């Protein structure tokens, strides 16, 4: 009996095929195969919002192959990912392949391990139509918003804009935070740090706290200096000393949102990159001596539940590796927040005995870093509390109180494996250890340091803190956080400066319009309630047609009212003014967007047509001429570094400039990472110097050699393809006059390309022209 198993990705297919053996054929659908067509609404509003699905363009070959395999097979298992999206893909597969009820079943795997795969195959079920309805409702909602609201934005703001339910609210969070920062009025305050020394020679610092009546805030310099003058030259004496023990418990295992936040903080990974690498770990990695192995459980989850077998395994691992005292005696249970879907357990390693360092050679650098993060967090969450010996002392002088506090680690507990990161780098949980002293001891005052401070506005969101804010407000779900942030960045509603997110003038203009005219789209509470209603559809408590009808009535009314209110009006997006001065006319240049991204332009156009690329000073100097080295972006978006005096100086490098200087010639150093060995060195690029210093050891020699061989193999294949094309006569041909006339528009940008490559460019240009003429019904989907 032949059996077909359909999954989403080739990597997953390969891993599952290995576990199931020769009686099963495992094929990949490569994601969705059916969707709403791109060029029309395709929602029948008159007949219960019925969607019209069509095969996705370019997927014909995959569909034909799956149909052929399904016809040859006696039974089909639909094994797409265990979430709403995966359930919908399975339903579309059933419809596309015209599978009869007796010939197929749905199976899911929370982890891609041999026991989990076999268990899933042995426990098939029917497709969950409630899950499918919830996914369809979300898809239809997004289509309605995208196809009806985006053209409105084109008419009233700027062509090419788009809006979506979740992306619009995420953008509003960033805009509202920016408005808070602008409205913030700083307040002055002062601190006084006393540097003290014990009779035994130990030194520490104590901060001004107040007086005998309690804590006192110093509002200005006059108040601060009054304290400084009062205690200068006077004795400092140790007052009451409080000693105690503090327990610190481990944080819960990862869910999707916390994984994305921690990977951003500790690994500097974007949410999109985090989920991509996590998908690779879930689907399976080829481990030396073991073979294809799924390393983590499913990574789209909001549950803190852990499987009993995993808890038993980690308990034995902790006792064996760290000692009996590091295990708390019973499994730790973490409470999942109310409103969570709780469809899957928390993110954890599929086998805790696969220690990250032991399999490092089989993983890419990003895979290793993320796997280690997940493994460490899981092991730590089941370990004993850390115990800190704390001490706090009041230091007295002339009736004023200075306070010092610190701690030492009595027992590391879970911190021997892992400690959670924070968004505030300066955050401290108790200070440094204090020297030994007792109440009544006299202290020598080495120095008094008064300092002026001002209260700070709320920090701009980072990707990590924005995800946390979305989660706290109930906006979006685990599978939507990463794509939402990617969308608002890609559409230039928000920009990332270092790690901070800042709204663009475009983002602020669109958000202002939506908040004013479309409360149902930009309102936090409405969006969160919509997510809850989608959960109700998934639970079978609400019909998805009822949900859509309720939304659509209010949305259409709001659209009609907005059209009337803004009739004949157009909202202008202000250009972002920079401090770069136009060397031709003296105006401050502004940031514009073009075909290849952003650039600087003179606001005096058309009188002044000066433009220039946006560059960023790196603080390094050019090794050829001594001018500034600036950060640039190529037309394809790749970052490189070049001399600010280009084209007079042609210096360019991919190596990252450093502010540190070469010890031999005083030129700026550059950080170089070898593509094969991954070895990192700081090098001097000044001709004739040759200085180089190792910063980080590279991969083991065998792995470095493998990387080199892979690159050479890719280069050889590319050369073979080029030779084959040449042999087939695909050489440069002169276009006839008609063709040349049609290509006039593309000629400037494609001058260096061969004629063979110009034909596709021509088609692309035609498509773009067509896209620019889209009607309301052809608006871009979210």
């Amino acid at each position: 009996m032949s059996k077909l198993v359909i999954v989403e990705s080739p990597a997953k297919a390969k891993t599952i095929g290995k576990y199931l053996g020769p009686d099963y054929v495992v094929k990949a659908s490569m994601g969705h195969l059916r969707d709403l067509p791109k060029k029309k609404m395709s929602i029948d509003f008159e007949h219960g919002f019925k969607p019209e699905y069509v095969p996705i363009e370019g997927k014909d070959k995959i569909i034909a192959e799956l149909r052929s395999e399904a016809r040859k097979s006696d039974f089909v298992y639909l094994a797409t990912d265990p979430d709403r999206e995966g359930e919908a893909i399975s339903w579309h597969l059933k419809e596309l392949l015209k599978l009869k009820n007796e010939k197929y079943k749905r199976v899911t795997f929370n982890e891609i391990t041999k026991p989990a795969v076999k268990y899933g195959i042995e426990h098939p079920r029917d497709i969950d139509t409630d899950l499918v309805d919830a996914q369809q409702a979300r898809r239809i909602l997004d289509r309605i918003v995208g196809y009806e609201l985006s053209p409105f934005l084109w008419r009233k703001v700027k062509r090419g804009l788009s809006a979506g339910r979740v992306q619009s609210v995420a953008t509003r969070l960033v805009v509202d935070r920016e408005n808070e920062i602008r409205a913030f009025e700083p307040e002055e305050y002062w601190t006084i740090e006393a540097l003290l020394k014990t009779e035994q020679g130990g030194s520490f610092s104590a901060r001004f706290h107040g007086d005998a009546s309690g804590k006192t805030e110093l509002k200005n310099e006059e108040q601060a200096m009054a304290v400084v003058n009062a205690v200068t030259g006077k004795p400092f004496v140790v007052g009451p000393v409080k000693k105690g023990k503090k327990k610190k418990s481990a944080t819960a295992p990862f869910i999707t949102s916390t994984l994305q936040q921690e990977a951003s903080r500790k690994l500097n990974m974007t949410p999109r990159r985090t989920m991509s690498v996590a998908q690779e770990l879930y689907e399976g990695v080829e481990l030396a001596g073991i073979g294809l192995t799924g390393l983590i459980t499913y990574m789209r989850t909001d549950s803190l539940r852990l499987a009993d077998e995993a808890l038993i395994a980690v308990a034995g691992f902790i006792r064996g590796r760290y000692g009996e005292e590091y295990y708390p005696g019973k499994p730790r249970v973490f409470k999942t927040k109310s409103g969570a879907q709780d469809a899957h357990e928390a993110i954890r390693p599929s086998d805790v005995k696969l220690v990250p360092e032991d399999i490092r050679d089989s993983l890419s650098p990003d895979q290793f870093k993320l796997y280690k993060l997940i493994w460490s967090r899981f092991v730590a969450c089941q370990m004993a509390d850390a115990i800190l010996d704390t001490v706090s002392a009041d230091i007295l002088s002339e009736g004023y109180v200075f306070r010092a506090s610190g701690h030492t680690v009595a027992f590391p507990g879970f911190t021997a494996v892992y400690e959670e990161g924070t968004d505030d780098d300066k955050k401290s949980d108790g200070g440094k250890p204090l020297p030994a002293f007792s109440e009544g001891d006299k202290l020598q005052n080495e120095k008094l340091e008064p300092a002026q401070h001002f209260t700070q506005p709320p920090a701009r969101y980072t990707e990590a803190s924005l995800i946390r804010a979305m989660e706290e407000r109930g906006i979006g779900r685990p599978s939507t956080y990463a794509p939402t942030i990617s969308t608002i960045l890609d559409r230039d509603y928000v920009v990332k400066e270092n790690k901070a997110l800042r709204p663009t003038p475009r983002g602020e203009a669109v958000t202002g319009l939506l908040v004013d005219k479309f409360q149902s789209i930009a309102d936090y509470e409405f969006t969160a309630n919509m997510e809850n209603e989608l959960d109700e559809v998934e639970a079978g408590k609400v019909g998805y047609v009822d949900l859509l009808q309720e939304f659509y009535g209010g949305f259409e009314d709001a659209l009609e009212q907005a059209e009337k209110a803004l009739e004949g009006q157009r909202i202008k997006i202000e250009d972002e003014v920079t401090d770069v001065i136009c060397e031709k006319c003296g105006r401050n240049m502004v940031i514009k967007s073009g075909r290849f991204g952003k650039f600087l332009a003179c606001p005096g156009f058309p009188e002044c047509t000066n433009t220039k690329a946006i560059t960023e000073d790196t603080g390094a100097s050019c090794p050829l001429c001594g001018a500034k080295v600036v950060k640039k972006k190529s037309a394809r978006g790749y970052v490189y570094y070049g001399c600010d005096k280009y084209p007079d100086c042609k210096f360019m490098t991919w190596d990252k400039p450093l502010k540190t200087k070469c010890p031999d010639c005083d030129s700026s150093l550059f950080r170089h990472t070898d593509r094969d060995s991954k070895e990192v060195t700081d090098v001097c690029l000044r001709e004739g110097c040759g200085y180089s210093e190792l910063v980080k050891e590279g991969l083991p020699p065998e792995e470095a050699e493998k990387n080199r061989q892979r690159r050479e193999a890719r280069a050889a294949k590319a050369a073979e393809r080029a030779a084959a094309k040449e042999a087939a006569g695909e050489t440069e041909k002169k276009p006839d006059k008609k063709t040349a006339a049609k290509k006039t528009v593309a000629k400037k940008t494609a001058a260096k390309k061969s004629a063979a490559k110009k034909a596709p460019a021509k088609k692309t240009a035609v498509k773009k022209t067509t896209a620019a003429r889209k009607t309301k019904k052809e608006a871009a989907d979210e």
Side-chain angles (χ1 to χ4, degrees):
M1 181 177 179
S2 61
K3 301 166 187 174
L4 173 64
V5 180
I6 303 177
V7 296
E8 288 181 57
S9 76
K12 194 173 172 184
K14 191 175 178 183
T15 309
I16 292 173
K18 169 197 159 188
Y19 294 146
L20 292 178
D23 293 337
Y24 293 82
V25 174
V26 186
K27 293 288 182 181
S29 71
M30 306 299 288
H32 275 280
L33 294 178
R34 268 200 338 174
D35 196 8
L36 299 169
K38 287 184 177 181
K39 295 186 178 180
K40 57 180 181 176
M41 176 71 80
S42 299
I43 306 295
D44 189 344
F45 295 97
E46 303 298 324
H47 299 88
F49 296 88
K50 186 178 179 182
E52 175 200 340
Y53 293 113
V54 297
I56 295 173
E57 190 176 344
K59 295 287 186 94
D60 298 345
K61 187 176 178 182
I62 297 172
I63 295 171
E65 184 181 351
L66 291 177
R67 277 178 176 157
S68 174
E69 289 292 345
R71 281 194 293 269
K72 291 187 287 184
S73 302
D74 298 309
F75 201 81
V76 178
Y77 293 98
L78 303 174
T80 50
D81 284 351
D83 56 14
R84 283 182 193 166
E85 210 67 31
E87 205 73 18
I89 293 173
S90 283
W91 177 74
H92 284 299
L93 281 167
K94 183 204 81 167
E95 297 293 315
L96 268 174
L97 305 182
K98 298 178 180 177
L99 299 175
K100 295 180 179 177
N101 290 338
E102 65 274 10
K103 192 178 175 179
Y104 83 94
K105 283 288 183 183
R106 172 84 166 110
V107 296
T108 57
F109 315 119
N110 187 50
E111 59 188 39
I112 310 299
T113 59
K114 191 169 186 176
V117 169
K118 292 206 166 183
Y119 180 86
I121 292 293
E122 290 166 3
H123 295 81
R125 61 171 173 81
D126 293 329
I127 288 176
D128 188 330
T129 53
D130 291 332
L131 272 175
V132 176
D133 285 348
Q135 191 275 343
Q136 286 196 99
R138 177 184 287 279
R139 187 73 187 92
I140 294 169
L141 279 170
D142 291 343
R143 174 54 63 101
I144 292 171
V145 172
Y147 270 55
E148 297 211 347
L149 189 52
S150 295
F152 173 79
L153 294 177
W154 293 7
R155 292 190 296 275
K156 302 303 178 185
V157 186
K158 185 178 180 180
R159 192 163 188 82
L161 297 180
S162 67
R165 289 182 318 105
V166 181
Q167 75 175 57
S168 298
V169 178
T171 304
R172 183 183 175 183
L173 280 168
V174 180
V175 170
D176 285 353
R177 175 58 57 87
E178 195 70 17
N179 289 332
E180 285 180 56
I181 294 170
R182 288 170 184 155
F184 181 81
E185 295 184 5
E187 294 181 7
E188 181 184 8
Y189 71 98
W190 284 69
T191 60
I192 305 172
E193 206 80 24
L195 304 180
L196 305 169
K197 200 173 212 179
T198 66
E199 292 177 347
Q200 293 76 28
S203 60
F204 65 100
S205 66
R207 177 167 287 194
F208 175 77
H209 178 72
D211 54 27
S213 62
K215 184 173 176 64
T216 303
E217 291 186 4
L218 303 173
K219 298 286 189 181
N220 51 50
E221 185 178 12
E222 184 181 354
Q223 293 176 356
M225 293 314 296
V227 175
V228 170
N229 293 332
V231 301
T232 297
K234 299 297 191 291
F236 281 71
V237 180
V238 178
V241 178
K242 294 179 182 178
K243 293 184 178 180
K245 289 191 179 293
K246 178 182 175 183
K247 285 187 177 180
K248 190 177 177 184
S249 298
T251 44
F254 282 128
I255 57 177
T256 304
S257 60
T258 54
L259 175 63
Q260 291 172 356
Q261 291 169 51
E262 193 75 338
S264 175
R265 284 189 289 251
K266 286 194 167 182
L267 307 180
N268 203 27
M269 280 189 187
T270 64
R272 176 187 280 178
R273 180 63 184 151
T274 297
M275 297 311 290
S276 175
V277 176
Q279 185 84 32
E280 294 167 8
L281 296 174
Y282 166 69
E283 292 178 348
V285 177
E286 188 75 41
L287 300 182
I290 300 174
L292 271 170
T293 306
L295 291 177
I296 64 169
T297 53
Y298 193 57
M299 62 285 160
R300 293 183 181 91
T301 178
D302 56 9
S303 173
L304 296 174
R305 177 170 43 86
L306 292 166
D308 291 340
E309 59 268 25
L311 293 173
I312 293 168
V314 75
F317 179 84
I318 293 168
R319 289 189 177 106
R321 188 179 179 93
Y322 299 101
E324 192 68 39
E325 68 274 21
Y326 280 84
Y327 185 68
K330 63 179 182 179
R332 292 189 184 277
V333 178
F334 299 90
K335 187 178 179 182
T336 300
K337 70 172 185 177
S338 61
Q341 292 174 292
D342 198 24
H344 315 288
E345 61 176 306
I347 304 169
R348 62 168 175 83
S350 54
D351 183 354
V352 73
K353 294 190 291 296
L354 290 174
V355 179
E357 284 73 16
D358 294 346
I359 60 173
R360 181 172 192 162
D361 291 349
S362 299
L363 305 177
S364 71
D366 280 355
Q367 286 174 342
F368 169 74
K369 287 187 286 187
L370 193 64
Y371 178 66
K372 184 176 182 180
L373 194 70
I374 294 168
W375 184 92
S376 301
R377 176 94 160 212
F378 169 65
V379 172
C381 85
Q382 293 301 312
M383 293 178 75
D385 292 341
I387 299 175
L388 308 177
D389 287 333
T390 62
V391 59
S392 174
D394 285 350
I395 312 299
L396 311 176
S397 180
E398 297 300 302
Y400 291 110
V401 178
F402 290 74
R403 183 161 289 176
S405 60
H407 74 258
T408 55
V409 178
F411 175 65
F414 74 91
T415 62
V417 175
Y418 176 86
E419 283 193 80
E420 186 177 30
T422 67
D423 289 319
D424 184 0
D425 296 334
K426 298 178 182 177
K427 189 175 178 181
S428 171
D429 59 0
K432 299 176 181 178
L434 296 178
F437 51 66
S438 301
E439 187 173 353
D441 285 357
K442 293 183 178 179
L443 303 169
Q444 182 180 347
N445 177 18
E446 297 280 294
K447 192 177 182 182
L448 287 168
E449 293 183 341
Q452 183 188 39
H453 307 275
F454 292 92
T455 54
Q456 296 297 308
R460 285 188 174 120
Y461 286 112
T462 62
E463 289 180 304
S465 59
L466 182 58
I467 287 171
R468 186 172 68 244
M470 291 171 66
E471 184 184 31
E472 287 171 352
R473 290 178 178 270
I475 298 164
R477 286 296 180 262
S479 61
T480 65
Y481 298 136
T484 296
I485 291 177
S486 295
T487 297
I488 63 177
L489 285 167
D490 292 344
R491 292 180 177 171
D492 197 34
Y493 291 158
V494 169
V495 292
K496 186 159 63 170
E497 296 175 347
N498 294 323
K499 284 191 172 184
L501 300 176
R502 178 180 63 79
T504 62
R506 173 185 292 187
E508 295 194 64
V510 171
T511 298
L513 179 59
L514 295 181
V515 169
D516 186 35
K517 304 297 181 186
F518 297 92
Q519 192 173 26
S520 61
I521 300 300
D523 184 67
Y524 297 134
E525 189 174 342
F526 182 92
T527 305
N529 288 339
M530 181 61 71
E531 294 292 351
N532 293 332
E533 289 189 46
L534 288 169
D535 291 344
E536 295 283 283
V537 173
E538 180 176 324
K541 297 177 181 177
V542 173
Y544 87 95
V545 174
D546 296 334
L547 181 151
L548 292 170
Q549 284 175 336
E550 183 179 350
F551 168 80
Y552 189 65
F555 176 72
E556 281 290 281
D557 289 343
L559 193 61
E560 187 177 334
Q561 292 300 319
E563 288 279 9
K564 289 179 181 176
L566 294 173
E567 188 174 359
Q569 299 181 44
R570 193 169 179 86
I571 295 169
K572 185 180 178 183
I573 299 176
E574 297 296 330
D575 290 325
E576 190 172 349
V577 181
T578 71
D579 56 3
V580 179
I581 303 298
C582 174
E583 59 269 27
K584 293 184 178 179
C585 69
R587 296 181 176 94
N588 283 72
M589 301 190 82
V590 297
I591 296 176
K592 297 278 188 181
S593 295
R595 181 179 175 188
F596 297 115
K598 293 183 178 181
F599 62 95
L600 292 173
C602 181
F605 183 87
E607 294 86 10
C608 180
T609 58
N610 188 27
T611 63
K612 59 171 66 177
I614 294 176
T615 60
E616 180 183 326
D617 187 6
T618 63
S621 55
C622 174
L624 298 185
C625 70
K628 291 189 292 187
V629 173
V630 293
K631 180 180 177 181
K632 300 182 177 182
K633 271 190 179 180
S634 70
R636 293 188 177 183
Y638 296 113
V639 171
Y640 70 97
Y641 305 93
C643 182
D644 189 42
K645 298 298 182 183
Y646 180 87
D648 296 332
C649 178
K650 298 284 198 303
F651 172 75
M652 173 268 172
T653 182
W654 299 106
D655 297 337
K656 185 177 181 180
L658 304 175
K659 293 181 181 179
T660 51
K661 300 292 185 180
C662 173
D664 292 348
C665 71
D666 206 37
S667 181
S668 293
L669 293 176
F670 292 78
R671 182 150 291 173
H672 174 75
T673 302
D674 187 88
R675 291 180 66 182
D676 291 326
S677 69
K678 304 302 178 188
E679 192 169 78
V680 181
T681 51
D682 287 350
V683 298
C684 179
L685 300 182
R686 175 170 285 179
E687 190 174 352
C689 179
Y691 174 82
S692 176
E693 181 184 4
L694 181 66
V695 176
K696 180 183 175 184
E697 291 283 357
L699 298 170
E702 318 83 62
E703 191 64 27
E705 178 61 19
K706 284 181 185 175
N707 280 359
R708 188 187 64 78
Q709 290 174 359
R710 289 190 197 108
R711 283 185 60 202
E712 287 184 353
R714 284 197 296 269
K717 284 183 180 178
E720 285 176 13
R721 287 195 295 269
K725 282 185 178 181
E726 189 174 348
E730 294 183 29
T731 55
E732 189 174 343
K733 297 176 183 177
K734 290 184 179 179
D736 57 32
K737 289 182 180 179
K738 286 185 179 180
T739 307
K742 290 179 182 178
K743 292 180 181 176
T744 303
V745 176
K747 188 175 180 181
K748 289 183 181 179
T749 57
K752 295 182 181 179
K753 296 182 180 180
S754 66
K757 290 185 178 179
K758 281 185 179 176
K762 172 185 158 188
K763 290 180 182 177
T764 306
V766 172
K767 285 182 181 177
K768 286 186 177 179
T769 306
T770 306
R773 296 175 185 151
K774 284 183 180 178
T775 62
K776 175 180 175 180
K777 289 186 177 181
E778 295 171 337
D781 193 10
E782 181 185 8

